[in-house]
Amino acid sequence: MAGDLWDPAAFKDRVDDVLHRFVAGEADRFASIDPALHPVAEQLEATVAQGKRLRAAFCYWGWRAVGQPDDDALVRAAASMELVHAAAVVHDDLIDESPLRHGLPTAHIALRGAVRGRRRAATAARSLAMLVGDLLMELAGQLFTTSGLPAAYLGRARPLWSALARELIAGECLEILRTGSDPDTRGSLKVIRYKTAKYTVEQPLLIGGVLAGAGERLREGYSAYGLPLGEAFQLRDDLLGVFGSPAHTGKACADDLRGNRPTALLAETWKAADEDERRQLRSLLGRRDLDEEGVRTVRALMRRLDAPERVEEMIGVRIDQALAALHELDVPRPAATALTALAHSVTTRLS
């Protein structure tokens, strides 16, 4: 994307090309160790086959907003954000026991074919998926450090990489620790911030900015834009997880309900519910055998209590905060235009 016009499709193609070439090479080297590793290598490639490449885009524009030009080495570094995401997705699906992602079997389901016929095959497949996620995180660091950017630039970003991993894992741990407890909106928003918001928007922006030499004021502006926008992104995801169409989301629509996850949508429902309604929720949430009738019952209760509307309001407030922060930043017009477009695209999506 050498010009100043933001072309999301062209940028996605660039990132896809980097990811597919890099991961294919690593998968080949991995599989060459032993033929038995081929199914694992195939799954490694499958994890990066699809994606919107939002994290790479935020990293890219974190760089460009400082005034730096388009750079292929920076695109490689930005693509490493997508490997962090791929690792997080594999681990998240494993933790949540999610069967589908992008309409396809998740890693721990797909890998059952590699251990079919064994005792405890499902457990073995889960172990393989865990290791795929671990390898993806290592590959993210490798792609970043071999991107071709000067060592001094990469060194500036090293502390942010440490923070990214620490805070992402902290968010996952908080979700596990709070799953099944009485829903609480404040606690749910903290999970959202650390599990998703930071590594989706804020940290990629900051890493791109720090690579480019962004000053303190600009970095503060990135956080003021990135944190509320990342939260809005996950709040939208929570709504889609219950009310979205599986044909669009590519996920099972009842995962959050069957897992009784600490989402803001559930917390807002719980807060407005009376004792009878809470008793009904307790009887349905967290059931792995929750059927479509049970899902419809929970949806109807959420709608009756206006929980989706309150979450929509929370999304709107955060978009306004993000765009107001962006307006205060003195960044080149192409960066401001792209970051405005990204703010709208990540919060009005159907999947």
Side-chain angles (χ1 to χ4, degrees), residues 23 25 47-48 50 89 100 102 106 125 133 147 163 203 211 217 244-245 250 265 278 284 301 311-312 315 322 347:
V23 175
T47 62
V48 298
Q50 300 187 59
V89 163
L100 292 174
H102 298 303
T106 48
S147 61
Q203 287 162 331
L211 287 170
R217 183 179 178 277
S245 165
L265 175 62
R278 289 184 177 184
L284 295 170
L301 180 57
V311 173
E312 288 285 2
I315 292 170
T347 54

Side-chain angles (χ1 to χ4, degrees), residues 130-153:
M130 178 185 69
L131 294 169
V132 167
D134 292 346
L135 182 53
L136 284 164
M137 187 63 86
E138 188 278 329
L139 293 179
Q142 181 183 330
L143 180 57
F144 185 78
T145 57
T146 62
S147 61
L149 289 173
Y153 290 21

Side-chain angles (χ1 to χ4, degrees), residues 44-267:
L44 195 67
E45 291 191 75
T47 62
V48 298
Q50 300 187 59
K52 302 177 184 69
R53 313 313 184 199
L54 297 173
R55 291 150 190 88
F58 283 116
C59 184
Y60 177 87
W61 286 107
W63 165 274
R64 292 291 306 275
V66 181
Q68 293 280 11
D70 180 81
D71 188 289
D72 286 339
L74 186 278
V75 172
R76 283 178 58 84
S80 69
M81 303 290 103
E82 297 301 327
L83 292 177
V84 172
H85 177 54
V89 163
V90 171
H91 286 151
D92 195 43
D93 288 341
L94 188 58
I95 291 165
D96 294 340
E97 300 183 43
S98 298
L100 292 174
R101 173 78 60 168
H102 298 303
L104 298 171
T106 48
H108 64 281
I109 300 297
L111 284 165
R112 288 181 181 178
V115 290
R116 186 178 292 115
R118 298 188 193 179
R119 294 182 58 192
R120 304 183 67 200
T123 300
R126 290 175 61 84
S127 297
L128 289 173
M130 178 185 69
L131 294 169
V132 167
D134 292 346
L135 182 53
L136 284 164
M137 187 63 86
E138 188 278 329
L139 293 179
Q142 181 183 330
L143 180 57
F144 185 78
T145 57
T146 62
S147 61
L149 289 173
Y153 290 21
L154 297 172
R156 291 196 297 252
R158 189 170 293 117
L160 289 175
W161 263 94
S162 298
L164 184 154
R166 178 175 59 250
E167 292 174 348
L168 172 57
I169 293 170
E172 288 281 9
C173 290
L174 283 173
E175 183 179 58
I176 293 168
L177 291 166
R178 290 180 175 161
T179 291
S181 59
D182 284 352
D184 169 71
T185 300
R186 181 178 296 181
S188 295
L189 289 173
K190 191 165 192 177
V191 170
I192 283 173
R193 171 165 289 203
Y194 284 93
K195 182 189 170 188
T196 303
K198 282 178 162 286
Y199 99 91
T200 297
V201 185
E202 183 203 25
Q203 287 162 331
L205 267 173
L206 286 171
I207 288 172
V210 168
L211 287 170
E216 182 178 356
R217 183 179 178 277
L218 186 54
R219 295 197 304 270
E220 290 174 349
Y222 282 177
S223 291
Y225 163 89
L227 278 174
L229 184 58
E231 290 177 358
F233 171 88
Q234 184 57 46
L235 288 167
R236 173 64 62 205
D237 203 60
D238 291 346
L239 281 174
L240 290 171
V242 176
F243 293 99
S245 165
H248 287 129
T249 65
K251 305 175 188 176
C253 65
D255 277 0
D256 285 351
L257 304 180
R258 292 190 179 113
N260 195 11
R261 296 173 195 156
T263 65
L265 175 62
L266 182 54

Side-chain angles (χ1 to χ4, degrees), residues 1 5-14 52-53 341-342 345:
M1 203 172 77
L5 293 178
W6 173 225
D7 184 343
F11 179 78
K12 180 182 181 302
D13 287 344
R14 289 177 73 184
K52 302 177 184 69
R53 313 313 184 199
L342 281 166
S345 67

